[in-house]
Amino acid sequence: MVELYRFVPSFIPKPHTWGKFDSTSPITHFLILDFKDMSPKLPDPKPFCSELARLHRNSVSPTGKFGFQVTTTHGKLPQYMEWNSSWESLFRKMLSDLMVLDLENNGPWKEFQDVYERALTLVLPKLIGPLEANPRTIKPCLLHGNLWDGNQGTEYETGNIYIFDASSFYGHNELELGMWRGTQNRINSKVYIKEYLRNVGISEPANQFDDRNRIYHVKFLMWHSAHHPNDVTRQRYKSQRSTYSSRSHAYISVSAYENMCYLVDKYAPWPNGNSDEKPKET
């Protein structure tokens, strides 16, 4: 929150102090910000997206790399953000870490693990790699990292919009929009993405924007899955060999599995097609 406040103080409640309680069971930390009496209504797209774009434009990575200087958290789960000069490399590590956390919390699912691994090894170089293919470069932007409707509010007195409860790091600015793809987040109208892109523009290659948004959305689905055991955004899946219980919210229409299958089919098809290599839902 301090890092965010440095670049857009009009968009962040001012941080005052933070620390750790003496009690150790459970380990508990605190953060004190300016109090803002806010409405949870959806933000006005124009000022909201304008301020978010200003954060991404104005922020400067202290190392010129992607990552963060300390381990941050997304909810209660750690984000290991060692500095990395390659966005593709850091994003692959983020997805790999999320799969490890998901398996720890929800158990194995071979079909999903196979598709996921294929996406990381074969899809990412074709989908995220071109962002940094010579002569292209992308700027490491400071991201909020968890910008759903519950982490923003409009102050009653002034009408100013504020964001909070961040999971920040320096990354590709379009990752921020991955959270807005899912129907579980009320900030899901295309008007928000259009308004944001009106301020910032689309990274090249522009024709891959929607597929990048899809795989960035998978990052947030995997976080939700790992964060909520037995309530996973993988979606129900059945095969002749095993049955997986439904562990998805009813309002999540497209699972991480389905998104990964779509991207693998498009960028790295299975050698023998769907019949032998990829499981079918029954």
Side-chain angles (χ1 to χ4, degrees), residues 82-97:
E82 296 91 349
W83 293 112
N84 198 315
S85 59
S86 165
W87 171 238
E88 180 190 341
S89 176
L90 180 64
F91 186 59
R92 178 180 290 106
K93 184 179 186 304
M94 290 170 63
L95 291 181
S96 296
D97 288 347

Side-chain angles (χ1 to χ4, degrees), residues 178-197:
M179 175 64 84
W180 301 355
R181 191 180 186 99
T183 56
Q184 73 275 22
N185 174 17
R186 292 191 301 141
I187 302 178
N188 58 27
S189 168
K190 291 183 179 179
V191 68
Y192 287 98
I193 290 181
K194 288 180 179 178
E195 188 61 33
Y196 174 82
L197 294 176

Side-chain angles (χ1 to χ4, degrees), residues 95-279:
L95 291 181
S96 296
D97 288 347
L98 282 168
M99 175 56 84
V100 171
L101 290 169
D102 184 64
L103 293 176
E104 289 175 355
N105 285 284
N106 296 294
W109 177 6
K110 184 182 184 304
E111 289 85 352
F112 183 41
Q113 290 168 246
D114 289 346
V115 171
Y116 201 86
E117 180 61 27
R118 191 171 183 84
L120 265 58
T121 56
L122 299 179
V123 174
L124 286 192
K126 298 178 181 179
L127 185 55
I128 304 301
L131 291 166
E132 301 170 291
N134 198 25
R136 297 189 188 109
T137 60
I138 53 174
K139 173 193 169 185
C141 298
L142 183 61
L143 309 180
H144 177 282
N146 188 19
L147 200 48
W148 66 294
D149 58 274
N151 286 343
Q152 62 78 40
T154 301
E155 189 175 28
Y156 286 110
E157 183 178 354
T158 65
N160 293 339
I161 299 170
Y162 294 95
I163 60 175
F164 44 87
D165 197 16
S167 305
S168 290
F169 58 93
Y170 287 89
H172 182 210
N173 64 298
E174 289 180 7
L175 177 68
E176 201 89 90
L177 312 184
M179 175 64 84
W180 301 355
R181 191 180 186 99
T183 56
Q184 73 275 22
N185 174 17
R186 292 191 301 141
I187 302 178
N188 58 27
S189 168
K190 291 183 179 179
V191 68
Y192 287 98
I193 290 181
K194 288 180 179 178
E195 188 61 33
Y196 174 82
L197 294 176
R198 190 179 68 81
N199 283 273
V200 175
I202 300 175
S203 298
E204 294 293 340
N207 64 345
Q208 290 187 317
F209 170 78
D210 189 65
D211 288 340
R212 290 195 300 268
N213 185 252
R214 183 185 295 273
I215 203 163
Y216 288 158
H217 180 52
V218 167
K219 185 263 187 190
F220 293 104
L221 290 173
M222 289 301 293
W223 167 83
H224 186 98
S225 173
H227 203 270
H228 299 279
N230 300 317
D231 194 5
V232 184
T233 51
R234 292 170 170 180
Q235 198 170 5
R236 178 179 296 168
Y237 174 76
K238 296 180 180 179
S239 73
Q240 293 179 350
R241 290 165 292 172
S242 56
T243 300
Y244 297 86
S245 62
S246 177
R247 294 185 284 187
S248 62
H249 285 297
Y251 51 68
I252 295 177
S253 59
V254 180
S255 69
Y257 176 76
E258 290 173 324
N259 278 300
M260 284 303 206
C261 284
Y262 173 89
L263 292 170
V264 165
D265 285 346
K266 184 171 182 177
Y267 291 94
W270 300 90
N272 296 325
N274 293 345
S275 58
D276 295 329
E277 296 288 330
K278 192 180 74 173

